[in-house]
Amino acid sequence: FYAIGVDMRKPYRVYGGLQDNGSWGGPSATRSFDGITFADWVRVLGADGFHCQVDPNDPDTVYAEWQYGRFRRLNVHTGDTADIQPKDPDAELRAQWMAPFLISPHDSTIVYAGFQFLFKSTNRGDSWVKLGGDLTANDPAQMLPRNSSAIPYQTIVALAESPKKKGLMYVGADDGTVHSTIDGGKEW
């Protein structure tokens, strides 16, 4: 697994993404004599699977991602899915192979996604706003050509929101830049 997430059920379910094998979810325990088997696991996304996060207030809502910041929200009970990748009409987005995203610890309808910009959704990814400008060095000399098959450089690779103070966030990029905000991204 690249990364795992868990829900709040009892027993809890584990979700994770695998190289070339999608993203899957399965129980942490079972009453079966055979224990946990392959049949207990559910595929939530194809492609290369990476981060999976579960809405802490709705264990049926799972967020999963695949290459370069493509995100999906899935209801594991109904099977309904929505592709929720942010878009920016003013810029070509750069995302890491395994782009960071997170559910706010203060409100589970708020989701963040990192490209060269930090995006925020207040409606579980149905729409997005950009929080400020480019949070990388944005050095044209370091940019890869558009037709390059290499992983983009100068992208956000880490982000976190304080679980104690809403709006206190940190963002780190693969070019060494680190930014923080105390007002939810109005000023960095």
Side-chain angles (χ1 to χ4, degrees), residues 112-128:
Y112 297 96
F115 291 76
Q116 74 266 38
F117 309 107
L118 181 63
F119 287 89
K120 176 183 180 180
S121 172
T122 58
N123 54 15
R124 302 173 353 142
D126 290 332
S127 62
W128 297 88

Side-chain angles (χ1 to χ4, degrees), residues 61 63 71-74 81-87 108-112 120-129:
T61 300
Y63 297 86
F71 303 103
R72 180 170 289 163
R73 185 183 67 236
L74 168 80
T81 64
D83 289 336
I84 57 169
Q85 178 177 346
K87 308 264 189 272
S108 67
T109 64
I110 297 174
V111 182
Y112 297 96
K120 176 183 180 180
S121 172
T122 58
N123 54 15
R124 302 173 353 142
D126 290 332
S127 62
W128 297 88
V129 295

Side-chain angles (χ1 to χ4, degrees), residues 50-51 65-71 94-101 113-115 156-159:
F50 299 123
H51 295 104
E65 73 164 313
W66 69 104
Q67 298 98 322
Y68 304 113
R70 292 179 288 210
F71 303 103
R94 299 185 307 271
Q96 196 47 244
W97 174 250
M98 187 168 75
F101 76 100
F115 291 76
I156 294 172
V157 294
L159 62 100

Side-chain angles (χ1 to χ4, degrees), residues 20-178:
D20 294 328
N21 202 15
S23 295
W24 295 79
S28 62
T30 182
R31 293 182 184 265
S32 169
F33 178 77
D34 295 329
I36 300 168
T37 68
F38 290 125
D40 293 316
W41 288 80
V42 176
R43 188 176 192 148
V44 296
L45 185 66
D48 288 307
F50 299 123
H51 295 104
C52 289
Q53 293 189 21
V54 185
D55 184 325
N57 299 308
D58 177 8
D60 288 332
T61 300
V62 177
Y63 297 86
E65 73 164 313
W66 69 104
Q67 298 98 322
Y68 304 113
R70 292 179 288 210
F71 303 103
R72 180 170 289 163
R73 185 183 67 236
L74 168 80
N75 183 301
V76 294
H77 179 71
T78 65
D80 292 338
T81 64
D83 289 336
I84 57 169
Q85 178 177 346
K87 308 264 189 272
D88 186 339
D90 301 322
E92 182 177 347
L93 295 180
R94 299 185 307 271
Q96 196 47 244
W97 174 250
M98 187 168 75
F101 76 100
L102 67 87
I103 299 170
S104 173
H106 305 282
D107 179 345
S108 67
T109 64
I110 297 174
V111 182
Y112 297 96
F115 291 76
Q116 74 266 38
F117 309 107
L118 181 63
F119 287 89
K120 176 183 180 180
S121 172
T122 58
N123 54 15
R124 302 173 353 142
D126 290 332
S127 62
W128 297 88
V129 295
K130 186 169 44 173
L131 300 179
D134 192 324
L135 295 174
T136 72
N138 195 23
D139 180 359
Q142 298 294 320
M143 300 290 179
L144 295 172
R146 288 185 119 194
N147 60 356
S148 172
S149 62
I151 294 173
Y153 183 60
Q154 298 186 81
T155 60
I156 294 172
V157 294
L159 62 100
E161 181 178 18
S162 167
K164 298 207 181 250
K165 183 172 178 4
K166 185 176 183 178
L168 173 58
M169 300 186 72
Y170 295 90
V171 172
D174 58 6
D175 57 21
T177 56
V178 177

